């Protein structure tokens, strides 16, 4: 679930690496019916992008081909779309839906659904299991306005764990983000906080909206409306202990979804707002 989005003139931060406008290449426009895409994942063997929408939309997953046409629509019959904010897959091709959108930091029903690979061929799929979780650091629902740290719009699955990157909605935003780790297993868990880092102090330019890890596990990329944050050279899964680089996309829109296509190429999707966006882009890391 997203608050109203206002287009603004992009401010290029001195900390950012610059790549040219031509590096962000439009691949296709999203189907008109997909107005609030909130996550994407990619299957190289079929060249299909799987996507979903957030709160107020159907409990459906959409597979899009390389022309942006809907290849198939899958209803997840036993999963409610409270606020689906991201989608990812594991190395075996199972899909996971992150129902953890939490604008007001007051939800106590946060969860992740697993949809097994063999269910993706069905019109009506059944989620194999549900991972319910909470943040041990959160003791008030909602917390004080200066402590609204518990919304999430980006995650990925890596080596049988989920990694969640928080979207800071606190008053006097300073770019602080937390990294949480959750075991990929059914049942109820307490998320483990494994890291903390900062982007910039401008909400429009540095709030985090999606996350992805490269197929070889050597790069983590986080998305904002006009840049990405790249982590490399990290020990184990302590991503924020590696090098942190901000790369400007030189393009401002309501970007909500990112995934690695291969180890150096990213796919990015944005919502259409004020006639801007509603597309899927390709971006190559240099």
């Amino acid at each position: 679930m997203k608050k109203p989005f206002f287009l603004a003139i992009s401010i290029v931060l001195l900390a950012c690496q610059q790549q040219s406008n031509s590096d962000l290449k439009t691949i296709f426009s999203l189907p008109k019916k997909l107005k609030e895409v909130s996550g994407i994942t990619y299957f190289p063997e079929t060249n299909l992008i799987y996507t979903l929408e957030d709160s107020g939309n159907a409990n459906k997953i959409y597979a899009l081909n390389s022309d942006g046409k809907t290849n198939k629509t899958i209803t997840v019959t036993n999963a409610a779309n409270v606020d689906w904010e991201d989608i990812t897959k594991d190395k075996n091709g199972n899909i996971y839906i992150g129902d953890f959108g939490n604008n007001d930091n007051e939800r106590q029903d946060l969860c992740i659904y697993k949809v097994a690979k063999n269910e993706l061929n069905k019109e009506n799929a059944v989620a194999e299991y549900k991972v319910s979780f909470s943040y041990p650091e959160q003791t008030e629902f909602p917390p004080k306005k200066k402590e609204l740290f518990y919304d999430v719009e980006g995650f990925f699955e890596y080596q049988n764990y989920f990694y969640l990157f928080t979207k800071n909605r606190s008053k006097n935003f300073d770019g602080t983000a937390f990294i949480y780790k959750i075991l990929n297993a059914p049942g109820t868990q307490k998320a483990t906080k494994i890291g903390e880092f900062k982007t910039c102090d401008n909400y429009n330019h540095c709030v985090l909206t999606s996350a992805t890890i490269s197929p070889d596990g050597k790069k983590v990329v986080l998305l904002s409306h006009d840049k990405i944050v790249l982590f490399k050279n990290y020990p184990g899964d302590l991503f924020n202990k590696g090098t942190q680089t901000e790369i400007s996309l030189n393009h401002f829109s309501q970007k909500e979804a990112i995934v690695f296509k291969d180890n150096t190429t990213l796919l990015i999707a944005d919502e259409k707002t004020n006639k801007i966006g509603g597309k899927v882009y390709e971006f190559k890391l240099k």
Side-chain angles (χ1 to χ4, degrees):
M1 184 185 300
K2 287 170 279 294
K3 292 182 178 179
F5 178 83
F6 301 98
L7 291 176
I9 296 174
S10 176
I11 299 173
V12 177
L13 302 177
L14 294 177
C16 284
Q17 285 187 359
Q18 298 300 303
Q19 292 193 216
S20 69
N21 286 331
S22 61
D23 289 325
L24 190 69
K25 177 184 175 184
T26 300
I27 302 300
F28 57 74
S29 294
L30 290 162
K32 290 183 179 179
K33 67 178 181 180
L34 297 181
K35 299 182 183 301
E36 295 185 307
V37 163
S38 58
I40 55 174
T41 193
Y42 177 70
F43 282 72
E45 59 271 25
T46 58
N47 198 26
L48 291 176
I49 293 172
Y50 286 74
T51 187
L52 42 66
E53 296 183 285
D54 60 13
S55 64
N57 292 289
N59 53 326
K60 297 178 185 290
I61 301 169
Y62 306 90
L64 308 178
N65 65 22
S66 57
D67 295 321
K69 306 298 182 184
T70 303
N71 179 278
K72 54 187 169 181
T73 300
I74 305 159
T75 299
V76 187
T77 59
N78 60 337
N81 185 347
V82 179
D83 196 359
W84 292 4
E85 283 293 356
D86 208 355
I87 185 171
T88 191
K89 68 180 180 72
D90 62 22
K91 64 180 181 180
N92 297 316
N94 303 304
I95 273 182
Y96 300 90
I97 298 165
D99 190 355
F100 39 50
N102 193 17
N103 276 22
D104 298 322
N105 283 224
E106 61 186 11
R107 283 186 66 183
Q108 297 187 58
D109 59 349
L110 305 170
C111 65
I112 297 165
Y113 295 102
K114 176 185 178 180
V115 181
K117 183 178 182 180
N118 59 10
E119 291 288 303
L120 300 178
N121 295 319
K122 303 176 181 178
E123 283 189 24
N124 295 297
V126 176
E128 181 177 327
Y129 59 73
K130 175 180 174 181
V131 185
S132 298
F133 68 93
S134 59
Y135 306 108
E137 291 75 19
Q138 183 176 5
T139 57
E140 296 179 290
F141 300 86
K144 297 178 179 64
K145 290 185 178 180
K146 63 181 181 180
E147 297 174 352
L148 298 177
F149 296 118
Y150 303 103
D151 187 16
V152 168
E153 292 192 3
F155 84 135
F156 53 75
E157 203 272 359
Y158 178 60
Q159 296 184 342
N160 207 42
Y161 284 90
F162 300 112
Y163 294 89
L164 284 65
F165 297 79
T166 61
K167 182 175 185 178
N168 187 340
R169 293 188 179 275
S170 302
K171 184 179 180 181
N172 300 322
F173 176 87
D174 67 353
T176 296
F178 300 155
I179 308 172
Y180 280 97
K181 181 178 181 177
I182 299 170
L183 180 66
N184 181 358
T188 301
Q189 303 183 42
K190 290 188 182 296
T192 302
K193 183 180 174 185
I194 63 167
E196 181 177 333
F197 61 96
K198 286 188 178 182
T199 52
C200 77
D201 61 4
N202 186 309
Y203 181 90
N204 276 341
H205 298 282
C206 286
V207 71
L208 301 177
T209 61
S210 192
T212 186
I213 190 167
S214 58
D216 62 10
K218 294 182 178 180
K219 303 182 191 74
V220 167
V221 170
L222 311 176
L223 181 67
S224 70
H225 297 315
D226 63 355
K227 65 176 64 63
I228 58 173
V229 178
L230 170 66
F231 288 114
K232 293 174 63 176
N233 304 314
Y234 36 80
D237 62 1
L238 301 178
F239 308 119
N240 60 309
K241 298 297 183 182
T243 58
Q244 177 179 340
T245 307
E246 292 184 3
I247 301 173
S248 175
L249 299 174
N250 295 303
H251 179 275
F252 193 90
S253 65
Q254 192 170 347
K255 296 178 181 68
E256 296 288 345
I258 193 167
V259 68
F260 271 97
K261 184 178 182 180
D262 55 43
N263 289 319
T264 58
T265 309
L266 294 159
L267 297 173
I268 297 170
D270 57 7
E271 291 187 16
K272 191 169 186 177
T273 307
N274 297 332
K275 298 183 179 181
I276 294 174
K279 300 180 186 298
V280 171
Y281 311 89
E282 187 176 274
F283 185 81
K284 290 189 178 293
L285 293 170
K286 293 185 176 178

